[in-house]
Amino acid sequence: MATSSSSLAFSLCLLVLFHGCVAQFFGGQGSWQVPRGVGSSQRACRFETLSALEPSRTIQSEAGVTEYYEEQSEQLQCAGLSVRRRTINPRGLRLPSYSNAPALVYITQGRGVMGLIYPGCPETYQSFQQQFEQSRQQAEQIPRDEHQKIHRFRQGDVIALPAGVTHWFYNDGDVPLVAITVFDIANSANQLEPRRREFFLAGSHQSWRRTSLEQQSGNILRGFDTQLLAEALGVNQQLVRRLQSQNDQRGEIVHVQRGLQVLRPSRSQEFQQEQEFRGERYQGERTWEFGGESCQGSRRTESIGNYSNGLDENFCTMKIRQNIDNPSRADFFNPRGGRVTIVNSQKLPILNNIQMSAGRVVLRSNALLTPFWHINAHSLMYVTGGQGRVQIVNNHGRTVFDGQLTQRQILLIPQNFAVLKRASRQGFEWVSFKTNQNAMVNKLFGKNSAIRSIPSDVLRVSYRLSTEQAWRLKNSRREEMAIFAPRFERSTSQFGSQESESFQRDEPLITEAVDESA
């Protein structure tokens, strides 16, 4: 009896400790109540006028270029976001650094490897060399190099970067690596100041002051006294001066002459390990309806090998990326309209710490995205291909943006503002960054929409319609969810009321969705 009581007490202690660790890393807020500040004063953040933004300045490095979107833009300051587009040439290394704000990175082109250095996590990648000792007549293994896990990424990946965590990127491909990065400077993890600051561990880089003047900035080691730092590291002062990069003019992206030599599994080994992990961890995956919303979850089996939902699933081994460019992973799909793919904390748990999520939208020629609004997040869209028309309306029913968006432009969609998007003849593609780890939207028309869920008589009275008109409004696009296929325009004088009836007889085009956002 005493042994049983001791075991129970020990188990309870472990449970409390585990929940305390998880709460400390992930935070205890839900998607509806994420603590978040503002980027500017409340009076200035009215979003009276929105505009599409393009890169406003460029900084060249030895092996790449960084393009900055206007950080003094009122709309970005109000939303608390900072955006940059980075191009890394083949064999280019983006030097190790960390930031005061968390970020999401979307890879628009190329592939490479990266490191994300978590404090306290073990160096699990190791190589050894044999050393022969004559006295013992035996060989002994001595570590040659060891470091934390190397992550491989490719086009279409969304990568999570926590605040204050060191990271580096390397292009091991044959084409330039292009990535768009969005920092959430209004995130609760940033307690420094309401603007982005980047801290480099190596090299030097160009910094931008509010006086619009560039100046050379060093890494964090440069500010320490040379003699004191040499004593702390146990090396000579000559090596310390090299670490401080006092005469380094290469910038933040440097060229690796003979290629980067790091420990990492082959691509086939990584693919096999990833497939085994998914097969074991996500057995019994299913979807369910909750409050009218489609959600995704996993029904775990009693035994799933080494991947249990326990203390071993911590941030040291946590997955940091998710591909949203693969059509087979689409959450919404319309063969004549396009697809929507979402990544949130249900799919990528590290986003609970980042407090951000993302989505990828591909619209076919002349297709539309149903009018909607974001319930609990700002959204920033970056156009990756084609062009399209976007309209945004505020709470007064006034249009705050109405224009065409083209590739490499960004546009902020404030929380609760209604938005309508339509692709041009050549299609329209973009990726959206949201300021909530489980961003939610409310659709205005179509299946599972606000209008569809309101009683017909309420619609009739609200809009002063006849009973037949209210029924037609409610059942318009009734088989399509989120993505609307284009409809051919016909003369009403020629076809009369038969136009809407013929379209209502279209076959269902949308498959079941498992997540909610756009």
Side-chain angles (χ1 to χ4, degrees):
M1 184 66 180
T3 303
S4 177
S5 301
S6 300
S7 300
L8 180 59
F10 180 71
S11 300
L12 289 175
C13 289
L14 281 180
L15 183 63
V16 172
L17 177 61
F18 173 71
H19 281 285
C21 294
V22 171
Q24 182 180 7
F25 184 74
F26 291 117
Q29 300 291 331
S31 60
W32 290 87
Q33 297 177 334
V34 174
R36 194 170 185 274
V38 293
S40 184
S41 64
Q42 291 283 359
R43 290 180 297 176
C45 295
R46 292 177 293 182
F47 299 111
E48 295 294 340
T49 302
L50 300 174
S51 58
L53 300 177
E54 297 182 357
S56 59
R57 61 185 177 93
T58 300
I59 294 181
Q60 186 73 41
S61 298
E62 180 186 56
V65 61
T66 303
E67 300 170 276
Y68 294 81
Y69 289 82
E70 183 55 62
E71 293 184 325
Q72 301 302 317
S73 166
E74 180 180 350
Q75 56 189 0
L76 291 184
Q77 287 184 334
C78 289
L81 299 175
S82 179
V83 188
R84 67 222 49 237
R85 182 179 183 270
R86 185 170 287 114
T87 302
I88 304 176
N89 297 332
R91 292 190 178 181
L93 171 67
R94 209 270 173 159
L95 296 175
S97 67
Y98 61 91
S99 176
N100 62 324
L104 284 183
V105 181
Y106 177 74
I107 307 299
T108 64
Q109 175 184 292
R111 61 178 173 84
V113 294
M114 64 165 294
L116 197 65
I117 315 303
Y118 285 112
C121 292
E123 294 83 12
T124 55
Y125 280 37
Q126 299 175 327
S127 67
F128 297 89
Q129 62 182 355
Q130 300 289 335
Q131 184 181 49
F132 187 79
E133 295 185 359
Q134 294 182 354
S135 60
R136 299 183 181 179
Q137 296 295 314
Q138 61 182 1
E140 179 183 3
Q141 284 190 334
I142 297 179
R144 178 182 300 174
D145 187 22
E146 56 182 11
H147 51 72
Q148 288 191 17
K149 181 179 180 179
I150 301 297
H151 303 268
R152 183 176 294 278
F153 59 86
R154 60 186 174 89
Q155 179 177 324
D157 278 354
V158 171
I159 305 172
L161 299 179
V165 176
T166 302
H167 56 271
W168 54 267
F169 289 83
Y170 176 70
N171 181 358
D172 66 350
D174 300 324
V175 299
L177 169 65
V178 182
I180 182 77
T181 305
V182 177
F183 294 86
D184 184 8
I185 58 178
N187 193 284
S188 59
N190 176 26
Q191 300 186 24
L192 187 60
E193 61 176 331
R195 69 184 183 96
R196 184 198 60 85
R197 283 200 181 190
E198 202 144 20
F199 301 80
F200 283 85
L201 274 65
S204 61
H205 65 285
Q206 297 286 344
S207 64
W208 188 269
R209 301 297 183 185
R210 293 187 177 182
T211 56
S212 298
L213 296 176
E214 292 186 16
Q215 70 175 29
Q216 195 75 11
S217 296
N219 60 59
I220 59 176
L221 299 178
R222 183 179 297 187
F224 292 113
D225 178 77
T226 303
Q227 182 177 356
L228 186 60
L229 187 58
E231 182 180 353
L233 298 180
V235 297
N236 58 50
Q237 295 187 32
Q238 182 179 359
L239 179 56
V240 167
R241 283 190 287 269
R242 177 64 64 90
L243 298 178
Q244 292 176 331
S245 307
Q246 295 181 2
N247 298 316
D248 193 342
Q249 303 296 323
R250 298 175 298 171
E252 63 184 60
I253 307 172
V254 302
H255 181 71
V256 183
Q257 189 67 31
R258 298 182 180 179
L260 197 65
Q261 304 298 319
V262 295
L263 300 172
R264 65 180 186 269
S266 64
R267 292 190 182 93
S268 59
Q269 289 175 323
E270 286 185 339
F271 179 78
Q272 181 179 359
Q273 291 174 1
E274 186 175 358
Q275 292 298 106
E276 291 176 354
F277 176 81
R278 288 177 183 168
E280 291 177 343
R281 185 177 183 187
Y282 294 104
Q283 287 184 10
E285 188 175 87
R286 61 190 178 92
T287 61
W288 68 90
E289 297 288 329
F290 179 76
E293 303 292 340
S294 295
C295 304
Q296 181 180 14
S298 59
R299 180 175 52 201
R300 299 181 183 273
T301 57
E302 293 183 2
S303 177
I304 52 176
N306 295 326
Y307 301 104
S308 62
N309 189 19
L311 292 173
D312 57 331
E313 287 191 358
N314 53 34
F315 55 86
C316 292
T317 57
M318 187 172 293
K319 185 178 178 182
I320 65 169
R321 63 177 179 86
Q322 175 79 25
N323 192 278
I324 58 175
D325 205 25
N326 189 340
S328 65
R329 295 182 178 179
D331 297 300
F332 297 90
F333 174 67
N334 185 325
R336 287 170 48 198
R339 68 179 189 269
V340 178
T341 308
I342 306 302
V343 56
N344 54 26
S345 66
Q346 299 178 43
K347 297 181 179 180
L348 195 61
I350 194 175
L351 296 183
N352 280 309
N353 173 257
I354 303 297
Q355 297 176 8
M356 299 178 69
S357 56
R360 169 85 165 136
V361 182
V362 177
L363 293 183
R364 301 187 65 177
S365 177
N366 297 322
L368 296 96
L369 204 61
T370 177
F372 68 95
W373 64 90
H374 291 89
I375 296 176
N376 57 349
H378 295 308
S379 177
L380 186 134
M381 60 182 294
Y382 170 81
V383 182
T384 58
Q387 64 178 8
R389 183 180 179 184
V390 179
Q391 288 186 327
I392 303 177
V393 179
N394 67 7
N395 59 306
H396 298 296
R398 189 173 70 85
T399 305
V400 295
F401 180 84
D402 184 1
Q404 295 284 335
L405 291 184
T406 58
Q407 194 169 358
R408 295 178 58 183
Q409 288 185 320
I410 65 172
L411 177 65
L412 176 71
I413 304 172
Q415 178 184 5
N416 298 141
F417 280 41
V419 59
L420 174 62
K421 304 175 184 180
R422 178 172 185 171
S424 63
R425 187 175 295 271
Q426 59 264 46
F428 193 26
E429 302 178 12
W430 70 89
V431 58
S432 295
F433 300 86
K434 328 262 183 165
T435 59
N436 191 296
Q437 70 268 30
N438 287 303
M440 302 173 64
V441 303
N442 202 331
K443 301 182 297 294
L444 194 55
F445 296 102
K447 190 175 181 180
N448 290 351
S449 66
I451 294 296
R452 176 79 175 171
S453 302
I454 296 176
S456 296
D457 211 41
V458 175
L459 296 177
R460 180 186 64 81
V461 175
S462 299
Y463 294 112
R464 295 186 295 180
L465 305 175
S466 66
T467 301
E468 181 182 0
Q469 289 174 327
W471 185 89
R472 289 187 176 183
L473 172 64
K474 182 172 180 177
N475 290 276
S476 176
R477 302 278 191 177
R478 67 179 184 270
E479 298 295 346
E480 295 178 289
M481 179 185 293
I483 305 170
F484 294 163
R487 293 182 174 182
F488 298 101
E489 295 182 359
R490 300 179 180 180
S491 171
T492 55
S493 60
Q494 179 180 357
F495 295 96
S497 61
Q498 295 179 357
E499 177 184 4
S500 60
E501 295 177 359
S502 63
F503 286 128
Q504 289 170 6
R505 289 194 296 267
D506 287 346
E507 293 295 324
L509 299 176
I510 196 72
T511 60
E512 186 177 6
V514 296
D515 275 300
E516 189 79 6
S517 191

